Amino acid sequence: MKLNEHGLLVIISGPSGVGKGTVRKALFEMEGHDLVYSISMTTREPREGEIDGIDYFFVSVEEFEKRIKEGKFLEYAKFVGNYYGTPSDKIDEQLEKGKEVVLEIEVQGANQVREKAKDGVFIFIAPPNKEALYRRLLRRGTENPKSIQNRMDKADREFPLAHQYDYIVVNDEVTNAADRIMAIIRAEHAKTERSIYKYKEMLEVK
Ligand code: 5GP
């Protein structure tokens, strides 16, 4: 995947319950951006209020596994018993149009994307502390105690992975976290290796 002349592939990842989804929504509510959200596919049951084709594409295990065989995912992972994956169609098309394509995925999937898209922008969302994570999972009210425990155990294993990311954004306040991500996107566009080709002629030493 060649991103230089295009939009950025932005990967927002981190432990479950850290508020990735809320931060991502706040990011999309900000003005003056050219972001496109990559809607994931999952085999998990829809939660109350979730809409097929907006929050996720909800499919059966058979359908998901068929798509794996057909190579239709940029990445996919099994997370606490369900499949989640990023459909690869449309991503390149959107990037070529200059859109920033935002993935909000868990860490195994982010590792796969890192292998395929070296110049993606990898952002790890971290909780201010572990208690905050536990409280958020509890407050969300969508998980049973076993699922909360599974997600906390998983988070313990995932925190050290933050080292592999380009940026760490602490989700102390949702709007602050979204602001920081927007600042990162702007700064990434100005990075020399991404923007120099536009000015090459002008900057060429005679
Ligand atoms: P939830 O069940 O809470 O909606 O999502 C569980 C986890 O799966 C979250 O960490 C979420 O970010 C992640 N996730 C959502 N979509 C994808 C995807 O397409 N690929 C991967 N690898 N993880 C995803």
Side-chain angles (χ1 to χ4, degrees):
M1 209 177 280
K2 176 105 176 73
L3 303 177
N4 283 2
E5 285 108 326
H6 310 315
L8 302 174
L9 184 64
V10 179
I11 298 91
I12 297 179
S13 193
S16 166
V18 78
K20 297 191 292 292
T22 322
V23 171
R24 185 253 304 165
K25 281 181 191 141
L27 183 70
F28 276 78
E29 279 163 13
M30 289 173 76
E31 288 181 0
H33 65 71
D34 227 350
L35 308 175
V36 177
Y37 177 52
S38 158
I39 302 167
S40 296
M41 198 165 275
T42 185
T43 58
R44 121 159 130 53
E45 288 295 313
R47 294 187 187 125
E48 212 181 309
E50 283 184 332
I51 300 169
D52 186 37
I54 292 185
D55 297 288
Y56 281 106
F57 295 110
F58 295 100
V59 297
S60 64
V61 174
E62 294 69 37
E63 173 70 23
F64 200 103
E65 288 179 343
K66 180 166 161 272
R67 282 169 187 262
I68 296 174
K69 285 202 193 95
E70 291 167 352
K72 290 195 170 157
F73 290 109
L74 172 64
E75 61 73 36
Y76 71 91
K78 227 176 187 175
F79 181 88
V80 198
N82 292 303
Y83 281 121
Y84 295 83
T86 302
S88 49
D89 59 337
K90 306 223 179 75
I91 291 188
D92 279 330
E93 193 185 305
Q94 300 279 17
L95 291 172
E96 272 161 36
K97 280 191 204 153
K99 308 266 184 208
E100 330 285 7
V101 178
V102 177
L103 311 186
E104 180 228 306
I105 61 180
E106 53 68 67
V107 294
Q108 304 166 60
N111 284 345
Q112 295 169 39
V113 179
R114 200 175 285 112
E115 293 302 311
K116 293 183 181 166
K118 300 262 182 246
D119 45 6
V121 181
F122 292 83
I123 303 174
F124 188 89
I125 310 287
N129 50 55
K130 267 179 72 173
E131 287 69 35
L133 184 65
Y134 183 72
R135 270 190 278 126
R136 200 169 284 145
L137 280 170
L138 208 59
R139 202 170 52 223
R140 196 155 82 176
T142 53
E143 313 306 320
N144 58 43
K146 187 160 186 299
S147 172
I148 291 179
Q149 194 49 51
N150 284 342
R151 284 173 189 241
M152 286 302 292
D153 291 347
K154 215 166 182 345
D156 274 338
R157 296 192 297 274
E158 290 171 352
F159 290 132
L161 300 175
H163 289 286
Q164 301 169 2
Y165 286 70
D166 300 314
Y167 298 93
I168 297 176
V169 167
V170 175
N171 184 19
D172 43 7
E173 283 288 332
V174 173
T175 48
N176 287 348
D179 276 347
R180 286 181 205 125
I181 295 176
M182 196 56 92
I184 290 168
I185 293 173
R186 296 210 170 104
E188 278 289 330
H189 269 294
K191 258 197 173 166
T192 306
E193 73 239 36
R194 291 196 199 273
S195 56
I196 192 129
Y197 72 94
K198 289 188 217 154
Y199 309 107
K200 227 176 165 80
E201 209 175 296
M202 198 172 85
L203 299 178
E204 227 146 62
V205 182
K206 292 265 152 61

